[in-house]
Amino acid sequence: MTDPEPRAAIRLADLPLEVRPCSLAAALDVLGERWSLLALREIGYGVHRFARIAGYTGASRDILADRLRKLEAAGVVERRQYSERPPRHEYHLTEAGRELFPVMLALYQWGDKWAVDTPALTRRHSCGQPVQVDLVCHHCGQPVTHETIHDEPADA
């Protein structure tokens, strides 16, 4: 099987001025709020119960409940009942939530560099070295940068 012929690149800045349909905008509709990302951080750390998620994030109970409901409705987390009386649930990442792992690592890396004076944690790979998130093309193994990609219309 041969690689498909590349389609003509488009320059997004030259398109007519209108609101763009965009996967980034759609993702931000689901994730783009502080308490949602911090709840996902805690669930990723293995904190599954509401009160502990609230405690570690500092979110008010009302806001956290709202964000967890939205994440559940979007299929990013799932609730699992652990007590019938009173009814209590734990929150776990779904496949969609687990696929956010590289996104979260990239945000940690950016925050360590640009948002804090001293990072609170060092994340190390199993080889013992600090984790560095790098984007590479899965096809050729070369780095992915703003200069090495181009945009083309998606297949309809």
Side-chain angles (χ1 to χ4, degrees):
M1 176 178 220
T2 61
D3 290 334
E5 235 3 78
R7 296 168 63 180
I10 56 175
R11 186 169 140 75
L12 295 174
D14 294 337
L15 293 177
L17 186 59
E18 60 187 12
V19 176
R20 305 177 197 273
C22 172
S23 297
L24 177 60
L28 288 172
D29 282 344
V30 174
L31 306 169
E33 198 279 325
R34 171 187 178 91
W35 303 117
S36 297
L37 291 172
L38 292 178
L40 292 171
R41 175 195 68 189
E42 292 307 319
I43 297 167
Y45 284 166
V47 178
H48 300 290
R49 296 191 179 177
F50 183 89
R52 291 177 52 88
I53 296 170
Y56 283 124
T57 62
S60 74
R61 296 178 72 78
D62 290 344
I63 289 175
L64 181 59
D66 178 68
R67 298 317 184 269
L68 287 169
R69 274 193 296 274
K70 289 178 180 176
L71 291 169
E72 183 182 14
V76 177
V77 299
E78 65 181 2
R79 288 188 325 153
R80 298 180 190 165
Q81 190 168 6
Y82 70 88
S83 171
E84 288 187 25
R85 291 181 190 263
R88 299 269 190 250
H89 295 88
E90 292 183 329
Y91 295 87
H92 293 266
L93 298 174
T94 62
E95 180 180 359
R98 290 186 299 276
E99 286 189 10
L100 287 167
F101 181 70
V103 175
M104 298 294 279
L105 279 179
L107 283 170
Y108 282 123
Q109 185 173 307
W110 186 91
D112 287 351
K113 182 174 182 178
W114 297 104
V116 299
D117 292 328
T118 305
L121 298 171
T122 298
R123 289 164 190 83
R124 294 191 182 277
H125 189 267
S126 59
C127 71
Q129 295 302 307
V131 171
Q132 172 76 29
V133 177
D134 292 313
L135 293 175
V136 296
C137 175
H138 284 259
H139 179 76
C140 69
Q142 295 297 309
V144 175
T145 66
H146 187 71
E147 293 77 25
T148 63
I149 63 170
H150 71 271
D151 298 300
E152 57 186 49
D155 292 330

